[in-house]
Structure formats: C-alpha cells, structure tokens
Amino acid sequence: MISRRFYRLIALWVLAETFLGGILHAFRVPLMGVFIACFSALFISLIYSATGSSRKVIHATLIVLVFKMLLSPHAPMIAFMSVGLQGIFGALILHAIPSTKIGRLLVAVFAYMQSATMKLLSLTIIFGMGFWDALDEFMVSIVQYFPVLSSILSAKNLVISYLGIYLISGIIVGLMIGRVSLKSRRGDLVLEGIHSTPERSRNKNTGMEWPLILGLTVIYFIPLFPDSFREMSLRAAIILTAWHLFLGPLVKKLLFKFLGNKKSGMIREINLIEGILPELQDNLKVSWQAASTQKAIRRFPYFIKTWVQISL
C-alpha cells in the first residue's frame, strides 16, 4: 500500500535526520553534510516514487521538520532550513523531470550543493549581509574547518576543493540512488540474526538517551581526549539532559497545541510514525551487522540499501 510505504519512508528519514544528524551536529564533524544530504536525497526520491506527488514530498518534509525539532535538540537553525529547502526543491525537480534516474541525480546534486553553500545562503538571504562580505565569511569558515590543509592550499583553492568534494559526492550518490527500487526484499535477503531479533513494542521508549548522556559525560573526565573534544562532549550531555527532562516535553506540548487537538490529521500522523521508529531502529542494527560482511568501500551503500529494503 502507498500509505504504508509513505509513512515508513518518512519514519526512515526521521531516524536518519535525528539520529545521525544529531550526532554529527553535536560533535561538529567536518563535511557532515556529505552524510546527511545523502539521506535527504534518498528519501525525497523514494517518497516521490511511492506517491507520485510533489505535495506528498513537501508534506513529508514538514513532518520530518517537526520530529527534528522534537528529537534533535542540538541541530542549529541552518539544519532545519536545509531540510526544508531540500524537500521543496527536490519535490519540484522530480515533478519537472520525467526521467526517474535523471531526476534523482539532480535532487542529489542539489541537496549536496545546497548543503555545502547553506552558510553563504543564510548570511546573504536571512542576515542581509552583502554577497562579497558573506563570501569572505564563508571562506573563513571553511579554512577554520581544515586548519592543516589551509597551510598547504590557498583559501581559494581550499574552497574550490570543498565544493568539489560535495559536487562529486552528489553525483556519485545520485547515480546510486537512481538504482534503488521500492521493492521490499525482506524475504530474499539472507541476514544472519534477522529472525532472532526480539520484537519490541512500538510504543515502548527505546531508552537510548541516558546511556548516550552517560557516555558523553564520562568522556569529559578522560584526559586522553583533547580538551576541546571533552568540553564539546560535556556541553552535548548538558543540552541532552535539559532537553530530555524539561525542554523536550514543553516543546512537544506547545507544538501539539499549535498543530491542533489529537483528532487532527497531523497529530495522528506524528503518533503513527512515532510508533514505527522502534522497529526501524531494530532494522538499523540488523542492516549494519549484514553490511559488516562487505568490503569497506561497499559497506555504507549496502547498509543503506538493506536498511531501506527490509523496512518497507
């Protein structure tokens, strides 16, 4: 059924954005957009293929943004803007391009280049900074990301290399996404341990927040790590604790009040997707175990493909 796949694909996108995106933003991983844009392009393309509707893609993007607000507290505002732009323009591209493979390729390239230049766009469009001043600030931020390379390459060449990495990654990912089908292969895939994975209640809290907070706190007290990394870990632990205990429930209450009463369509959809997430987390673990048998260069693509196909 289209409706079933529609909500399961949204749930996959939510999990990728909040779980992976939240970790990458918390630790300020360089080139994190290379990883996050991959998921946006993939699920935007698959949702359009499942529904044939650009409106459904935009609707799915809105739901993902709601979950990102609830589950990914350290993501900056620029991350929400990226998801929104990728969803809107992805829907328009896929609607305008009749070829599935070419459409998906363009969606991936757009997602990657938009992610690479989001800081420049936000400085000019949102903060009203002049283009050349914003470009200088953009170049400085890239140089600060790669202090070692900045001693080898000029700022101009470093920026060109940075954009080139995103462009090439977008083309490679777009070609790979073009070959992904919506056909579920759960019964065809030979996954060791897939039937032995215990079923969990869909409404049961996964309880992953406190172990993560504990791990981040412990890192702060280990002197082997650099001071900047230890301070970052402690800051992430404090943010997660405050969000989990106080801010998260408050924001969720206010957000649900804004969306309407629990009989509204949006609330029902949010509750439905929230119930699917634990199952998809189990599939995440199974897929990673299956991918561990692959060669290093094929491991990540195989993991993503397997995770999607056993979750449909």
Side-chain angles (χ1 to χ4, degrees):
M1 292 177 60
I2 289 179
S3 60
R4 177 180 179 274
R5 286 188 171 180
F6 175 62
Y7 291 115
R8 294 181 78 83
L9 286 169
I10 295 175
L12 285 166
W13 190 5
V14 165
L15 197 56
E17 276 287 338
T18 57
F19 179 72
L20 177 63
I23 291 175
L24 294 177
H25 282 298
F27 289 98
R28 299 178 183 177
V29 177
L31 297 176
M32 56 188 169
V34 170
F35 302 97
I36 299 175
C38 167
F39 292 107
S40 294
L42 173 64
F43 294 118
I44 288 169
S45 299
L46 292 180
I47 289 170
Y48 185 83
S49 294
T51 62
S53 169
S54 55
R55 288 187 178 182
K56 286 290 186 182
V57 174
I58 295 174
H59 183 69
T61 304
L62 177 60
I63 295 176
V64 171
L65 287 171
V66 170
F67 272 99
K68 193 171 182 67
M69 187 183 300
L70 294 173
L71 303 177
S72 189
H74 15 295
M77 185 57 64
I78 196 172
F80 292 90
M81 293 171 55
S82 287
V83 174
L85 286 175
Q86 288 165 6
I88 293 171
F89 281 93
L92 295 176
I93 291 169
L94 292 168
H95 180 73
I97 304 297
S99 171
T100 299
K101 289 186 177 181
I102 295 176
R104 290 183 179 185
L105 173 62
L106 293 177
V107 168
V109 171
F110 173 83
Y112 272 81
M113 297 311 296
Q114 181 270 325
S115 180
T117 59
M118 191 60 210
K119 184 177 180 67
L120 178 62
L121 294 174
S122 63
L123 288 174
T124 53
I125 297 174
I126 299 175
F127 296 103
M129 188 179 291
F131 176 76
W132 294 112
D133 292 334
L135 183 60
D136 288 339
E137 185 70 24
F138 177 64
M139 294 176 70
V140 169
S141 67
I142 294 176
V143 171
Q144 291 175 343
Y145 259 138
F146 307 101
V148 176
L149 292 178
S150 63
S151 62
I152 303 173
L153 300 173
S154 66
K156 178 182 177 181
N157 289 333
L158 188 57
V159 170
I160 292 173
S161 300
Y162 174 81
L163 296 177
I165 290 172
Y166 273 86
L167 177 60
I168 294 171
S169 300
I171 293 172
I172 293 173
V173 168
L175 293 173
M176 294 172 61
I177 290 175
R179 298 197 299 265
V180 177
S181 69
L182 279 167
K183 182 180 179 181
S184 176
R185 296 180 56 207
R186 184 180 181 90
D188 300 333
L189 295 173
V190 181
L191 298 172
E192 184 177 350
I194 191 170
H195 298 297
S196 61
T197 303
E199 293 291 332
R200 292 192 298 179
S201 171
R202 292 189 175 187
N203 296 320
K204 186 178 179 180
N205 194 320
T206 58
M208 291 298 295
E209 296 87 356
W210 292 115
L212 177 59
I213 291 171
L214 179 61
L216 291 170
T217 306
V218 169
I219 288 174
Y220 177 74
F221 294 99
I222 300 177
L224 296 177
F225 292 102
D227 290 343
S228 59
F229 184 77
R230 292 166 57 203
E231 291 174 1
M232 195 183 304
S233 299
L234 182 62
R235 182 167 60 250
I238 293 172
I239 292 173
L240 282 171
T241 301
W243 185 267
H244 187 59
L245 291 178
F246 308 109
L247 299 178
L250 177 61
V251 170
K252 187 173 183 179
K253 182 178 179 180
L254 294 175
L255 188 60
F256 274 35
K257 185 176 181 180
F258 173 76
L259 293 173
N261 58 55
K262 291 192 176 182
K263 293 182 180 179
S264 69
M266 179 68 78
I267 297 298
R268 290 200 304 271
E269 288 175 320
I270 291 173
N271 289 331
L272 174 63
I273 293 168
E274 194 173 28
I276 299 172
L277 293 178
E279 177 193 341
L280 301 189
Q281 284 182 313
D282 285 338
N283 292 347
L284 191 69
K285 297 174 185 176
V286 171
S287 303
W288 185 252
Q289 291 174 355
S292 64
T293 62
Q294 302 294 310
K295 294 181 180 179
I297 195 170
R298 295 187 58 193
R299 187 168 300 173
F300 187 71
Y302 185 87
F303 157 66
I304 298 301
K305 182 179 178 181
T306 303
W307 184 40
V308 171
Q309 289 181 331
I310 69 172
S311 298
L312 291 177

